[in-house]
Amino acid sequence: MNEFADKIEAIDVGIDEFGFCDSPTSDAIFDGARRGLLYGQSFSEITYIHIHECDDFSIGVFCLPAGKEFPLHDHPEMTVLSKLLYGSVHVKAYDWINFDSTKEQTIGLAGKVIDEVMKAPHEPSILFPRSGGNIHSFRALTPCAILDVLSPPYCEDFGRPSTYYYDIPIPYLNGYSMLEEKPLPDDLVVHGAPYFGPSIVTLYDDYDFSDQTSDENHV
């Protein structure tokens, strides 16, 4: 999956960073269809492009204008693959030092895993439930887009809510901070945009359930 994600570009998910292919009659449209593309530089607010979601995973793209920030948040019991499609972004990420999987973590000591500027092209990154920077934030230095694959997706009913945190650096412990849950930021507004990339085909799309039903009727 990591190798596959590394080959994905913005145009592959229906985004034209500079508007070079923005005409609905452009030949650079997927599946032979003649459709429009989203102009990557035109987003004035944080925008999410929903691509696909099922019980096992979700796929989408966050588009951020320069200066916008997605605050520190976690991914409980989730594995996340991310790919910076274009632009540059400052990423800060933590992992809990003492993680208690039996309850929702709302405060505790965390170690900083990432604190760097990423510029496209950049290899995909993977975070895990206990490592890799499960709690992260990102601030766009230029207009940018980030492909996100979450497995499994957020779901409050199954104990996977999205929790936001304050981070309070500890002066005498370089690289460590106290994280404390905070309410959903009032200024965090995420807009939606349509997906103009290729159709998503799952394994079940080509499965003929009538054959299974027929077999069951003969048991």
Side-chain angles (χ1 to χ4, degrees):
M1 183 65 182
N2 194 50
E3 183 178 350
F4 172 75
D6 193 33
K7 299 177 181 178
I8 296 177
E9 299 180 354
I11 199 76
D12 297 322
V13 290
I15 304 172
D16 179 12
E17 180 184 358
F18 295 110
F20 295 148
C21 306
D22 58 351
S23 169
T25 60
S26 168
D27 289 333
I29 307 301
F30 306 106
D31 295 337
R34 295 184 178 272
R35 294 181 285 176
L37 298 172
L38 296 173
Y39 176 31
Q41 301 287 323
S42 68
F43 296 106
S44 59
E45 301 292 340
I46 298 175
T47 302
Y48 182 71
I49 302 168
H50 174 77
I51 297 177
H52 179 77
E53 183 168 336
C54 61
D55 290 342
D56 296 321
F57 64 91
S58 66
I59 307 174
V61 178
F62 283 99
C63 299
L64 289 81
K68 287 292 184 178
E69 181 173 6
F70 207 97
L72 200 64
H73 61 284
D74 68 350
H75 307 81
E77 300 303 315
M78 298 157 66
T79 298
V80 181
L81 184 148
S82 298
K83 167 73 183 297
L84 181 63
L85 299 176
Y86 62 80
S88 60
V89 61
H90 178 254
V91 179
K92 183 166 57 175
Y94 296 91
D95 285 320
W96 295 113
I97 298 302
N98 293 308
F99 182 79
D100 186 352
S101 60
T102 64
K103 61 182 180 180
E104 183 179 342
Q105 191 106 8
T106 59
I107 188 171
L109 180 65
K112 190 179 293 182
V113 178
I114 302 171
D115 188 2
E116 65 181 62
V117 173
M118 296 183 179
K119 297 180 180 181
H122 194 282
E123 63 181 13
S125 59
I126 301 179
L127 59 86
F128 301 95
R130 308 285 185 274
S131 64
N134 186 275
I135 307 160
H136 69 186
S137 66
F138 39 91
R139 177 170 56 89
L141 303 180
T142 69
C144 66
I146 302 169
L147 173 71
D148 249 8
V149 181
L150 312 181
S151 180
Y154 285 111
C155 181
E156 291 197 15
D157 292 341
F158 288 95
R160 298 191 301 274
S162 180
T163 303
Y164 294 86
Y165 295 92
Y166 299 106
D167 61 328
I168 307 166
I170 301 175
Y172 54 87
L173 283 178
N174 186 35
Y176 293 88
S177 293
M178 287 296 296
L179 304 188
E180 182 177 0
E181 182 182 3
K182 70 176 183 180
L184 177 68
D186 293 334
D187 59 350
L188 178 60
V189 178
V190 180
H191 297 263
Y195 170 60
F196 289 121
S199 300
I200 301 299
V201 179
T202 67
L203 292 175
Y204 296 109
D205 289 343
D206 296 326
Y207 187 80
D208 187 356
F209 287 95
S210 63
D211 291 343
Q212 184 181 24
T213 302
S214 176
D215 290 342
E216 289 176 349
N217 290 337
H218 288 83
V219 173

PDB file of all heavy atoms in Angstrom, residues 113-143:
ATOM      1  N   VAL A 113       7.507  12.952  18.064  1.00  0.00           N
ATOM      2  CA  VAL A 113       8.042  12.041  17.063  1.00  0.00           C
ATOM      3  C   VAL A 113       8.458  12.791  15.805  1.00  0.00           C
ATOM      4  O   VAL A 113       9.472  12.465  15.173  1.00  0.00           O
ATOM      5  CB  VAL A 113       7.003  10.948  16.722  1.00  0.00           C
ATOM      6  CG1 VAL A 113       7.529  10.020  15.635  1.00  0.00           C
ATOM      7  CG2 VAL A 113       6.619  10.160  17.967  1.00  0.00           C
ATOM      8  N   ILE A 114       7.659  13.777  15.434  1.00  0.00           N
ATOM      9  CA  ILE A 114       7.915  14.559  14.219  1.00  0.00           C
ATOM     10  C   ILE A 114       7.731  16.035  14.544  1.00  0.00           C
ATOM     11  O   ILE A 114       6.775  16.417  15.230  1.00  0.00           O
ATOM     12  CB  ILE A 114       6.965  14.160  13.070  1.00  0.00           C
ATOM     13  CG1 ILE A 114       7.098  12.675  12.729  1.00  0.00           C
ATOM     14  CG2 ILE A 114       7.225  15.000  11.835  1.00  0.00           C
ATOM     15  CD1 ILE A 114       6.036  12.184  11.766  1.00  0.00           C
ATOM     16  N   ASP A 115       8.628  16.851  14.049  1.00  0.00           N
ATOM     17  CA  ASP A 115       8.487  18.306  14.127  1.00  0.00           C
ATOM     18  C   ASP A 115       9.307  18.874  12.970  1.00  0.00           C
ATOM     19  O   ASP A 115      10.441  19.287  13.137  1.00  0.00           O
ATOM     20  CB  ASP A 115       8.984  18.836  15.475  1.00  0.00           C
ATOM     21  CG  ASP A 115       8.688  20.308  15.672  1.00  0.00           C
ATOM     22  OD1 ASP A 115       8.059  20.919  14.781  1.00  0.00           O
ATOM     23  OD2 ASP A 115       9.080  20.866  16.719  1.00  0.00           O
ATOM     24  N   GLU A 116       8.708  18.855  11.790  1.00  0.00           N
ATOM     25  CA  GLU A 116       9.481  19.202  10.601  1.00  0.00           C
ATOM     26  C   GLU A 116       8.589  19.740   9.488  1.00  0.00           C
ATOM     27  O   GLU A 116       7.363  19.565   9.504  1.00  0.00           O
ATOM     28  CB  GLU A 116      10.239  17.988  10.087  1.00  0.00           C
ATOM     29  CG  GLU A 116       9.365  16.866   9.580  1.00  0.00           C
ATOM     30  CD  GLU A 116      10.151  15.661   9.084  1.00  0.00           C
ATOM     31  OE1 GLU A 116      10.863  15.049   9.903  1.00  0.00           O
ATOM     32  OE2 GLU A 116      10.053  15.345   7.878  1.00  0.00           O
ATOM     33  N   VAL A 117       9.229  20.356   8.538  1.00  0.00           N
ATOM     34  CA  VAL A 117       8.544  20.835   7.336  1.00  0.00           C
ATOM     35  C   VAL A 117       8.672  19.766   6.253  1.00  0.00           C
ATOM     36  O   VAL A 117       9.766  19.298   5.957  1.00  0.00           O
ATOM     37  CB  VAL A 117       9.141  22.166   6.849  1.00  0.00           C
ATOM     38  CG1 VAL A 117       8.546  22.565   5.498  1.00  0.00           C
ATOM     39  CG2 VAL A 117       8.896  23.266   7.881  1.00  0.00           C
ATOM     40  N   MET A 118       7.549  19.380   5.692  1.00  0.00           N
ATOM     41  CA  MET A 118       7.533  18.425   4.589  1.00  0.00           C
ATOM     42  C   MET A 118       7.190  19.160   3.301  1.00  0.00           C
ATOM     43  O   MET A 118       6.272  19.983   3.277  1.00  0.00           O
ATOM     44  CB  MET A 118       6.509  17.325   4.847  1.00  0.00           C
ATOM     45  CG  MET A 118       6.810  16.469   6.053  1.00  0.00           C
ATOM     46  SD  MET A 118       5.588  15.130   6.244  1.00  0.00           S
ATOM     47  CE  MET A 118       6.236  14.316   7.715  1.00  0.00           C
ATOM     48  N   LYS A 119       7.925  18.856   2.256  1.00  0.00           N
ATOM     49  CA  LYS A 119       7.696  19.467   0.957  1.00  0.00           C
ATOM     50  C   LYS A 119       7.470  18.374  -0.080  1.00  0.00           C
ATOM     51  O   LYS A 119       8.185  17.384  -0.113  1.00  0.00           O
ATOM     52  CB  LYS A 119       8.888  20.332   0.554  1.00  0.00           C
ATOM     53  CG  LYS A 119       9.151  21.509   1.484  1.00  0.00           C
ATOM     54  CD  LYS A 119      10.354  22.321   1.009  1.00  0.00           C
ATOM     55  CE  LYS A 119      10.623  23.497   1.934  1.00  0.00           C
ATOM     56  NZ  LYS A 119      11.789  24.310   1.478  1.00  0.00           N
ATOM     57  N   ALA A 120       6.473  18.577  -0.917  1.00  0.00           N
ATOM     58  CA  ALA A 120       6.227  17.624  -2.003  1.00  0.00           C
ATOM     59  C   ALA A 120       7.280  17.817  -3.102  1.00  0.00           C
ATOM     60  O   ALA A 120       7.718  18.945  -3.346  1.00  0.00           O
ATOM     61  CB  ALA A 120       4.835  17.825  -2.568  1.00  0.00           C
ATOM     62  N   PRO A 121       7.703  16.725  -3.744  1.00  0.00           N
ATOM     63  CA  PRO A 121       7.274  15.345  -3.499  1.00  0.00           C
ATOM     64  C   PRO A 121       7.893  14.779  -2.226  1.00  0.00           C
ATOM     65  O   PRO A 121       9.056  15.039  -1.926  1.00  0.00           O
ATOM     66  CB  PRO A 121       7.790  14.602  -4.729  1.00  0.00           C
ATOM     67  CG  PRO A 121       8.993  15.398  -5.171  1.00  0.00           C
ATOM     68  CD  PRO A 121       8.672  16.823  -4.858  1.00  0.00           C
ATOM     69  N   HIS A 122       7.080  14.044  -1.484  1.00  0.00           N
ATOM     70  CA  HIS A 122       7.525  13.462  -0.220  1.00  0.00           C
ATOM     71  C   HIS A 122       6.953  12.058  -0.113  1.00  0.00           C
ATOM     72  O   HIS A 122       5.794  11.818  -0.482  1.00  0.00           O
ATOM     73  CB  HIS A 122       7.032  14.317   0.947  1.00  0.00           C
ATOM     74  CG  HIS A 122       7.702  14.017   2.259  1.00  0.00           C
ATOM     75  ND1 HIS A 122       7.365  12.917   3.027  1.00  0.00           N
ATOM     76  CD2 HIS A 122       8.670  14.670   2.940  1.00  0.00           C
ATOM     77  CE1 HIS A 122       8.107  12.915   4.120  1.00  0.00           C
ATOM     78  NE2 HIS A 122       8.911  13.961   4.083  1.00  0.00           N
ATOM     79  N   GLU A 123       7.759  11.132   0.379  1.00  0.00           N
ATOM     80  CA  GLU A 123       7.286   9.752   0.496  1.00  0.00           C
ATOM     81  C   GLU A 123       6.130   9.679   1.490  1.00  0.00           C
ATOM     82  O   GLU A 123       6.023  10.501   2.405  1.00  0.00           O
ATOM     83  CB  GLU A 123       8.424   8.842   0.955  1.00  0.00           C
ATOM     84  CG  GLU A 123       8.971   9.154   2.327  1.00  0.00           C
ATOM     85  CD  GLU A 123      10.107   8.255   2.718  1.00  0.00           C
ATOM     86  OE1 GLU A 123      10.644   7.548   1.834  1.00  0.00           O
ATOM     87  OE2 GLU A 123      10.472   8.265   3.908  1.00  0.00           O
ATOM     88  N   PRO A 124       5.226   8.715   1.323  1.00  0.00           N
ATOM     89  CA  PRO A 124       4.102   8.565   2.251  1.00  0.00           C
ATOM     90  C   PRO A 124       4.602   8.277   3.668  1.00  0.00           C
ATOM     91  O   PRO A 124       5.686   7.732   3.864  1.00  0.00           O
ATOM     92  CB  PRO A 124       3.334   7.362   1.694  1.00  0.00           C
ATOM     93  CG  PRO A 124       3.757   7.255   0.269  1.00  0.00           C
ATOM     94  CD  PRO A 124       5.170   7.730   0.227  1.00  0.00           C
ATOM     95  N   SER A 125       3.812   8.673   4.639  1.00  0.00           N
ATOM     96  CA  SER A 125       4.118   8.379   6.033  1.00  0.00           C
ATOM     97  C   SER A 125       3.005   7.516   6.613  1.00  0.00           C
ATOM     98  O   SER A 125       1.854   7.606   6.184  1.00  0.00           O
ATOM     99  CB  SER A 125       4.258   9.670   6.842  1.00  0.00           C
ATOM    100  OG  SER A 125       3.071  10.434   6.785  1.00  0.00           O
ATOM    101  N   ILE A 126       3.377   6.687   7.581  1.00  0.00           N
ATOM    102  CA  ILE A 126       2.404   5.788   8.217  1.00  0.00           C
ATOM    103  C   ILE A 126       2.489   5.961   9.719  1.00  0.00           C
ATOM    104  O   ILE A 126       3.578   5.936  10.299  1.00  0.00           O
ATOM    105  CB  ILE A 126       2.662   4.315   7.859  1.00  0.00           C
ATOM    106  CG1 ILE A 126       2.602   4.101   6.339  1.00  0.00           C
ATOM    107  CG2 ILE A 126       1.631   3.416   8.537  1.00  0.00           C
ATOM    108  CD1 ILE A 126       2.879   2.674   5.919  1.00  0.00           C
ATOM    109  N   LEU A 127       1.342   6.154  10.343  1.00  0.00           N
ATOM    110  CA  LEU A 127       1.295   6.170  11.801  1.00  0.00           C
ATOM    111  C   LEU A 127       0.408   5.020  12.268  1.00  0.00           C
ATOM    112  O   LEU A 127      -0.537   4.622  11.596  1.00  0.00           O
ATOM    113  CB  LEU A 127       0.812   7.522  12.329  1.00  0.00           C
ATOM    114  CG  LEU A 127      -0.575   8.047  11.924  1.00  0.00           C
ATOM    115  CD1 LEU A 127      -1.657   7.514  12.857  1.00  0.00           C
ATOM    116  CD2 LEU A 127      -0.579   9.570  11.953  1.00  0.00           C
ATOM    117  N   PHE A 128       0.769   4.491  13.434  1.00  0.00           N
ATOM    118  CA  PHE A 128       0.099   3.330  13.989  1.00  0.00           C
ATOM    119  C   PHE A 128      -0.576   3.695  15.314  1.00  0.00           C
ATOM    120  O   PHE A 128      -0.341   4.774  15.862  1.00  0.00           O
ATOM    121  CB  PHE A 128       1.109   2.199  14.189  1.00  0.00           C
ATOM    122  CG  PHE A 128       1.795   1.777  12.916  1.00  0.00           C
ATOM    123  CD1 PHE A 128       3.031   2.308  12.567  1.00  0.00           C
ATOM    124  CD2 PHE A 128       1.199   0.864  12.061  1.00  0.00           C
ATOM    125  CE1 PHE A 128       3.663   1.934  11.396  1.00  0.00           C
ATOM    126  CE2 PHE A 128       1.834   0.479  10.879  1.00  0.00           C
ATOM    127  CZ  PHE A 128       3.063   1.010  10.548  1.00  0.00           C
ATOM    128  N   PRO A 129      -1.410   2.808  15.853  1.00  0.00           N
ATOM    129  CA  PRO A 129      -2.101   3.139  17.113  1.00  0.00           C
ATOM    130  C   PRO A 129      -1.161   3.488  18.258  1.00  0.00           C
ATOM    131  O   PRO A 129      -1.513   4.286  19.134  1.00  0.00           O
ATOM    132  CB  PRO A 129      -2.892   1.861  17.417  1.00  0.00           C
ATOM    133  CG  PRO A 129      -3.151   1.251  16.081  1.00  0.00           C
ATOM    134  CD  PRO A 129      -1.913   1.541  15.281  1.00  0.00           C
ATOM    135  N   ARG A 130       0.057   2.910  18.278  1.00  0.00           N
ATOM    136  CA  ARG A 130       0.973   3.146  19.403  1.00  0.00           C
ATOM    137  C   ARG A 130       2.263   3.856  18.989  1.00  0.00           C
ATOM    138  O   ARG A 130       3.085   4.167  19.842  1.00  0.00           O
ATOM    139  CB  ARG A 130       1.370   1.817  20.060  1.00  0.00           C
ATOM    140  CG  ARG A 130       0.214   0.914  20.453  1.00  0.00           C
ATOM    141  CD  ARG A 130      -0.506   1.387  21.696  1.00  0.00           C
ATOM    142  NE  ARG A 130      -1.518   0.431  22.086  1.00  0.00           N
ATOM    143  CZ  ARG A 130      -2.762   0.407  21.612  1.00  0.00           C
ATOM    144  NH1 ARG A 130      -3.143   1.330  20.741  1.00  0.00           N
ATOM    145  NH2 ARG A 130      -3.633  -0.495  22.000  1.00  0.00           N
ATOM    146  N   SER A 131       2.442   4.079  17.707  1.00  0.00           N
ATOM    147  CA  SER A 131       3.727   4.637  17.263  1.00  0.00           C
ATOM    148  C   SER A 131       3.567   5.391  15.951  1.00  0.00           C
ATOM    149  O   SER A 131       2.524   5.319  15.300  1.00  0.00           O
ATOM    150  CB  SER A 131       4.763   3.516  17.093  1.00  0.00           C
ATOM    151  OG  SER A 131       4.361   2.619  16.064  1.00  0.00           O
ATOM    152  N   GLY A 132       4.624   6.087  15.594  1.00  0.00           N
ATOM    153  CA  GLY A 132       4.641   6.779  14.312  1.00  0.00           C
ATOM    154  C   GLY A 132       4.082   8.184  14.346  1.00  0.00           C
ATOM    155  O   GLY A 132       4.053   8.869  13.328  1.00  0.00           O
ATOM    156  N   GLY A 133       3.634   8.640  15.533  1.00  0.00           N
ATOM    157  CA  GLY A 133       3.056   9.975  15.636  1.00  0.00           C
ATOM    158  C   GLY A 133       1.547   9.958  15.497  1.00  0.00           C
ATOM    159  O   GLY A 133       0.977  10.682  14.682  1.00  0.00           O
ATOM    160  N   ASN A 134       0.875   9.138  16.317  1.00  0.00           N
ATOM    161  CA  ASN A 134      -0.579   8.962  16.212  1.00  0.00           C
ATOM    162  C   ASN A 134      -1.354  10.246  16.487  1.00  0.00           C
ATOM    163  O   ASN A 134      -2.476  10.414  16.031  1.00  0.00           O
ATOM    164  CB  ASN A 134      -1.039   7.855  17.173  1.00  0.00           C
ATOM    165  CG  ASN A 134      -2.497   7.513  17.013  1.00  0.00           C
ATOM    166  OD1 ASN A 134      -3.362   8.151  17.592  1.00  0.00           O
ATOM    167  ND2 ASN A 134      -2.773   6.494  16.209  1.00  0.00           N
ATOM    168  N   ILE A 135      -0.761  11.161  17.241  1.00  0.00           N
ATOM    169  CA  ILE A 135      -1.415  12.433  17.557  1.00  0.00           C
ATOM    170  C   ILE A 135      -0.655  13.516  16.796  1.00  0.00           C
ATOM    171  O   ILE A 135       0.511  13.778  17.073  1.00  0.00           O
ATOM    172  CB  ILE A 135      -1.366  12.712  19.068  1.00  0.00           C
ATOM    173  CG1 ILE A 135      -1.920  11.504  19.833  1.00  0.00           C
ATOM    174  CG2 ILE A 135      -2.142  13.977  19.427  1.00  0.00           C
ATOM    175  CD1 ILE A 135      -1.499  11.462  21.279  1.00  0.00           C
ATOM    176  N   HIS A 136      -1.315  14.139  15.827  1.00  0.00           N
ATOM    177  CA  HIS A 136      -0.547  15.080  15.002  1.00  0.00           C
ATOM    178  C   HIS A 136      -1.361  16.316  14.629  1.00  0.00           C
ATOM    179  O   HIS A 136      -2.587  16.353  14.747  1.00  0.00           O
ATOM    180  CB  HIS A 136       0.008  14.386  13.759  1.00  0.00           C
ATOM    181  CG  HIS A 136      -1.015  13.988  12.737  1.00  0.00           C
ATOM    182  ND1 HIS A 136      -0.703  13.240  11.622  1.00  0.00           N
ATOM    183  CD2 HIS A 136      -2.343  14.248  12.628  1.00  0.00           C
ATOM    184  CE1 HIS A 136      -1.780  13.052  10.893  1.00  0.00           C
ATOM    185  NE2 HIS A 136      -2.787  13.662  11.467  1.00  0.00           N
ATOM    186  N   SER A 137      -0.625  17.329  14.184  1.00  0.00           N
ATOM    187  CA  SER A 137      -1.225  18.548  13.638  1.00  0.00           C
ATOM    188  C   SER A 137      -0.456  18.908  12.381  1.00  0.00           C
ATOM    189  O   SER A 137       0.693  18.491  12.199  1.00  0.00           O
ATOM    190  CB  SER A 137      -1.154  19.701  14.646  1.00  0.00           C
ATOM    191  OG  SER A 137       0.195  20.087  14.887  1.00  0.00           O
ATOM    192  N   PHE A 138      -1.086  19.673  11.505  1.00  0.00           N
ATOM    193  CA  PHE A 138      -0.362  20.144  10.335  1.00  0.00           C
ATOM    194  C   PHE A 138      -0.797  21.563   9.972  1.00  0.00           C
ATOM    195  O   PHE A 138      -1.970  21.905  10.036  1.00  0.00           O
ATOM    196  CB  PHE A 138      -0.485  19.197   9.143  1.00  0.00           C
ATOM    197  CG  PHE A 138      -1.830  18.567   8.927  1.00  0.00           C
ATOM    198  CD1 PHE A 138      -2.783  19.171   8.117  1.00  0.00           C
ATOM    199  CD2 PHE A 138      -2.139  17.354   9.519  1.00  0.00           C
ATOM    200  CE1 PHE A 138      -4.005  18.585   7.897  1.00  0.00           C
ATOM    201  CE2 PHE A 138      -3.380  16.753   9.311  1.00  0.00           C
ATOM    202  CZ  PHE A 138      -4.323  17.378   8.493  1.00  0.00           C
ATOM    203  N   ARG A 139       0.181  22.378   9.613  1.00  0.00           N
ATOM    204  CA  ARG A 139      -0.039  23.776   9.251  1.00  0.00           C
ATOM    205  C   ARG A 139       0.526  24.014   7.857  1.00  0.00           C
ATOM    206  O   ARG A 139       1.703  23.747   7.595  1.00  0.00           O
ATOM    207  CB  ARG A 139       0.621  24.708  10.264  1.00  0.00           C
ATOM    208  CG  ARG A 139       0.504  26.184   9.930  1.00  0.00           C
ATOM    209  CD  ARG A 139       0.974  27.042  11.093  1.00  0.00           C
ATOM    210  NE  ARG A 139       2.340  26.707  11.494  1.00  0.00           N
ATOM    211  CZ  ARG A 139       3.413  27.266  10.966  1.00  0.00           C
ATOM    212  NH1 ARG A 139       3.291  28.182  10.006  1.00  0.00           N
ATOM    213  NH2 ARG A 139       4.622  26.921  11.394  1.00  0.00           N
ATOM    214  N   ALA A 140      -0.306  24.502   6.973  1.00  0.00           N
ATOM    215  CA  ALA A 140       0.098  24.709   5.583  1.00  0.00           C
ATOM    216  C   ALA A 140       0.993  25.932   5.468  1.00  0.00           C
ATOM    217  O   ALA A 140       0.614  27.028   5.863  1.00  0.00           O
ATOM    218  CB  ALA A 140      -1.133  24.870   4.704  1.00  0.00           C
ATOM    219  N   LEU A 141       2.178  25.745   4.927  1.00  0.00           N
ATOM    220  CA  LEU A 141       3.083  26.858   4.649  1.00  0.00           C
ATOM    221  C   LEU A 141       2.815  27.437   3.265  1.00  0.00           C
ATOM    222  O   LEU A 141       3.045  28.623   3.018  1.00  0.00           O
ATOM    223  CB  LEU A 141       4.531  26.396   4.760  1.00  0.00           C
ATOM    224  CG  LEU A 141       4.921  25.776   6.107  1.00  0.00           C
ATOM    225  CD1 LEU A 141       6.380  25.361   6.094  1.00  0.00           C
ATOM    226  CD2 LEU A 141       4.647  26.740   7.253  1.00  0.00           C
ATOM    227  N   THR A 142       2.358  26.584   2.373  1.00  0.00           N
ATOM    228  CA  THR A 142       1.878  26.983   1.047  1.00  0.00           C
ATOM    229  C   THR A 142       0.572  26.225   0.823  1.00  0.00           C
ATOM    230  O   THR A 142       0.250  25.305   1.586  1.00  0.00           O
ATOM    231  CB  THR A 142       2.885  26.603  -0.049  1.00  0.00           C
ATOM    232  OG1 THR A 142       2.924  25.169  -0.168  1.00  0.00           O
ATOM    233  CG2 THR A 142       4.277  27.126   0.263  1.00  0.00           C
ATOM    234  N   PRO A 143      -0.204  26.565  -0.193  1.00  0.00           N
ATOM    235  CA  PRO A 143      -1.357  25.712  -0.496  1.00  0.00           C
ATOM    236  C   PRO A 143      -0.893  24.262  -0.652  1.00  0.00           C
ATOM    237  O   PRO A 143       0.112  23.996  -1.311  1.00  0.00           O
ATOM    238  CB  PRO A 143      -1.883  26.288  -1.824  1.00  0.00           C
ATOM    239  CG  PRO A 143      -1.462  27.714  -1.789  1.00  0.00           C
ATOM    240  CD  PRO A 143      -0.118  27.723  -1.111  1.00  0.00           C
TER     241      PRO A 143
END
